[in-house]
């Protein structure tokens, strides 16, 4: 019998902080939470509009670290989209049956 190992689908989760965050994700969340807490401390009796504005940083941070299918989170998806459109892409495809002088 051969050694066949089955890798679980969540095997990478053990490398994440709390099974969810990478270091940049945690930094983004902590900065958003800190800014929100500071705004709520500064505003003693906030009106509804001020309260909504004060909560925007943590909502934005939560949106960035929200998981997306086939990606780790929204931040990684945005990074991949930017890389796709910004980086120069040159694809050389000759096909599987092409033979030329460069294959030597």
């Amino acid at each position: 019998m051969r050694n066949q190992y089955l890798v679980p689908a969540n095997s990478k989760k053990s490398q994440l902080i709390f099974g969810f965050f990478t270091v940049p994700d945690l930094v983004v969340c902590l900065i958003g939470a800190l800014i929100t807490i500071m705004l709520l401390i500064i505003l003693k009796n906030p009106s509804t509009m001020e309260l909504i504005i004060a909560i925007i940083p943590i909502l934005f941070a939560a949106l960035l670290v929200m998981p997306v299918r086939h990606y780790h989170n929204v931040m990684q998806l945005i990074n991949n989209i930017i890389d796709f459109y910004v980086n120069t892409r040159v694809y050389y495809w000759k096909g599987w049956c092409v033979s030329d002088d460069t294959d030597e």
Side-chain angles (χ1 to χ4, degrees), residues 23 25 31 36 45 63 72 76 87 89 94 96 98 104:
V23 174
D25 299 339
I31 289 173
T36 298
N45 281 327
L63 177 77
H72 175 67
Q76 182 195 9
N87 293 340
R89 295 175 309 277
K94 299 177 185 176
W96 58 273
V98 173
E104 294 176 8

Side-chain angles (χ1 to χ4, degrees), residues 10-77:
N10 62 355
S11 64
K12 292 281 187 180
K13 280 191 141 191
S14 64
Q15 297 174 353
L16 301 175
I17 302 168
F18 303 122
F20 186 75
F21 295 107
T22 60
V23 174
D25 299 339
L26 194 59
V27 168
V28 166
C29 277
L30 290 176
I31 289 173
L34 225 103
I35 291 172
T36 298
I37 290 170
M38 286 174 32
L39 286 173
L40 290 174
I41 290 173
I42 290 171
L43 303 170
K44 298 284 184 194
N45 281 327
S47 65
T48 306
M49 190 54 112
E50 290 173 336
L51 188 62
I52 291 171
I53 290 172
I55 294 175
I56 286 176
I58 192 66
L59 292 177
F60 189 69
L63 177 77
L64 285 175
V65 298
M66 183 178 67
V68 178
R69 189 175 181 174
H70 303 301
Y71 293 93
H72 175 67
N73 57 23
V74 175
M75 203 162 33
Q76 182 195 9
L77 174 64

